[in-house]
């Protein structure tokens, strides 16, 4: 306290403390004033990029689904008929029903992935970054990859058709890629959650 008082008394003109000495103090003050503007610029940039990703996902993904459905129908039309072995008709019906159920489960997982991804980007558009909501979205997206793996493996194993096709699995990629993507998104969700908790603890400490 005595040191601060001595430094204050050393100024011949006390207005220098607010007006600045040769502009040096004003420069320090201006640096503090520019900082929020720089943060707003970064936040606005995040919002714009997130909106671009959200629009691409919102309109591009349904288009890709329509293309995939068209290819599936075209493949089914061009497929050669096959004969069911005598005495296995009941097993064929059961396995076909199981495949349909696994297919519906895969569709639900895909829709959850799509809806949650859109929700995540909408949070980013609003400037909501490291929060419980964004962390939850990341975790759900990660779990949908594992759900996709389970569903398409079920379809492959229960497929009664003689010519089985190894599943693509999940929204994109093969099994190894989906396992990595699922684990990565779950880890990011956990990281977002921990960062938000650390920030809350620091605010309480201050």
């Amino acid at each position: 306290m005595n040191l601060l008082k001595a430094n204050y008394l050393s100024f011949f003109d006390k207005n220098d403390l607010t007006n600045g000495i040769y502009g040096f103090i004003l420069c320090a003050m201006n640096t503090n004033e520019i900082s929020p503007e720089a943060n707003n610029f970064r936040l606005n940039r995040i919002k714009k990029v997130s909106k671009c990703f959200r629009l691409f996902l919102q309109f591009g993904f349904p288009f890709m689904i329509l293309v995939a459905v068209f290819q599936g129908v075209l493949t089914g039309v061009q497929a050669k008929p096959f004969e069911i072995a005598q005495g296995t008709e009941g097993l064929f019906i059961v396995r076909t029903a199981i495949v349909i159920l696994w297919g519906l489960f895969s569709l639900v997982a895909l829709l959850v992935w799509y809806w949650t991804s859109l929700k995540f980007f909408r949070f980013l558009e609003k400037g909501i970054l490291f929060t419980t909501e964004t962390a939850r979205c990341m975790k759900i997206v990660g779990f949908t990859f594992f759900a996709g793996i389970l569903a398409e493996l079920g379809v492959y194993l229960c497929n009664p058709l003689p010519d089985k096709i190894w599943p693509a699995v999940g929204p994109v990629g093969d099994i190894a890629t989906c396992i990595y993507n699922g684990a990565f998104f779950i880890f990011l969700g956990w990281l977002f959650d921990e960062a938000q908790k650390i920030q809350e603890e620091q605010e309480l400490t201050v």
Side-chain angles (χ1 to χ4, degrees):
M1 180 63 73
N2 292 330
L3 181 61
L4 291 174
K5 186 183 295 183
N7 289 333
Y8 176 77
L9 294 174
S10 65
F11 285 90
F12 294 102
D13 188 359
K14 304 302 183 293
N15 291 328
D16 290 339
L17 291 172
T18 54
N19 296 333
I21 304 173
Y22 303 109
F24 289 110
I25 295 179
L26 288 178
C27 289
M29 293 173 65
N30 288 336
T31 302
N32 293 331
E33 291 174 359
I34 292 173
S35 187
E37 296 179 0
N39 290 335
N40 290 333
F41 171 75
R42 294 187 181 94
L43 185 60
N44 289 331
R45 186 167 54 185
I46 292 174
K47 290 180 180 179
K48 291 179 181 178
V49 174
S50 300
K51 184 177 182 179
C52 292
F53 273 97
R54 196 258 303 167
L55 291 175
F56 174 76
L57 180 64
Q58 184 173 351
F59 297 104
F61 183 75
F63 175 75
M64 290 188 289
I65 292 297
L66 290 176
V67 172
V69 170
F70 176 76
Q71 290 178 344
V73 172
L74 188 62
T75 302
V77 171
Q78 295 177 349
K80 296 179 180 180
F82 63 95
E83 295 182 0
I84 302 174
Q86 189 175 3
T88 61
E89 293 85 356
L91 179 62
F92 179 84
I93 294 174
V94 171
R95 296 184 68 176
T96 302
I98 295 174
V99 166
I100 292 174
L101 291 177
W102 277 118
L104 291 175
F105 180 76
S106 178
L107 179 62
V108 170
L110 191 63
L111 292 176
V112 170
W113 173 85
Y114 175 66
W115 179 80
T116 307
S117 299
L118 290 179
K119 185 178 179 181
F120 174 74
F121 285 118
R122 287 194 181 100
F123 280 133
L124 298 184
E125 281 186 62
K126 298 176 182 178
I128 302 173
L129 304 179
F130 298 101
T131 63
T132 305
E133 291 81 4
T134 54
R136 187 182 298 113
C137 288
M138 298 291 282
K139 292 177 183 178
I140 292 174
V141 168
F143 283 117
T144 56
F145 279 95
F146 289 105
I149 293 174
L150 183 63
E152 296 207 25
L153 282 178
V155 170
Y156 175 77
L157 295 175
C158 300
N159 190 352
L161 300 179
D163 298 328
K164 292 185 179 181
I165 300 176
W166 187 254
V169 179
V172 288
D174 55 10
I175 292 179
T177 303
C178 283
I179 291 175
Y180 173 79
N181 289 337
F184 180 71
F185 278 104
I186 292 173
F187 170 74
L188 282 183
W190 172 82
L191 196 65
F192 275 41
D193 198 17
E194 291 299 313
Q196 187 256 345
K197 290 178 182 178
I198 291 173
Q199 185 178 4
E200 289 181 352
E201 292 175 356
Q202 289 177 345
E203 291 176 354
L204 292 175
T205 302
V206 174

